[in-house]
Amino acid sequence: MSIWRTIKRFFTARDLREVYVTLRRSPYSSAFLLKLDRDQQKYVVVQFRHKSFVQETCSMSIEDFDDFTRGVLIMRAEIDKPLPPSAVQ
């Protein structure tokens, strides 16, 4: 996506939904914003925040966000697996 399209999308987009996730006992949080641009295309903006200030922003298509969430779910399943007996000492 060209820089001009990104700027145009940023200033003409409408917010459809916002979801904020705060980390337990931490000043860090994430915001997931579903937006609709001028061409009626939905996309997702992910913001990583520290004490309510945006530190990083990432904009992605719905398809890319689907891949991102699939990766998170796979990682979550790995975290929930018990350790093999040889790894526990």
Side-chain angles (χ1 to χ4, degrees):
M1 183 182 315
S2 73
I3 187 69
W4 298 116
R5 181 175 166 97
T6 303
I7 292 170
K8 180 179 164 184
R9 175 185 261 184
F10 181 76
F11 286 106
T12 61
R14 289 187 302 142
D15 292 339
L16 297 177
R17 179 98 168 103
E18 298 177 8
V19 176
Y20 292 96
V21 180
T22 55
L23 303 177
R24 282 181 235 182
R25 297 185 286 281
S26 173
Y28 296 99
S29 64
S30 299
F32 299 92
L33 301 97
L34 180 61
K35 294 188 173 259
L36 186 67
D37 67 9
R38 175 183 268 169
D39 301 325
Q40 303 300 309
Q41 297 287 324
K42 288 182 182 176
Y43 67 101
V44 176
V45 174
V46 181
Q47 294 177 340
F48 299 99
R49 299 171 176 218
H50 181 260
K51 296 186 178 179
S52 299
F53 295 105
V54 175
Q55 300 294 315
E56 294 291 333
T57 300
C58 177
S59 175
M60 59 184 81
S61 68
I62 298 298
E63 295 81 16
D64 291 342
F65 186 71
D66 187 41
D67 293 340
F68 174 77
T69 54
R70 187 178 307 116
V72 169
L73 293 174
I74 291 169
M75 183 57 69
R76 182 70 217 169
E78 289 295 319
I79 290 170
D80 290 339
K81 276 187 187 176
L83 291 172
S86 61
V88 179
Q89 295 182 6

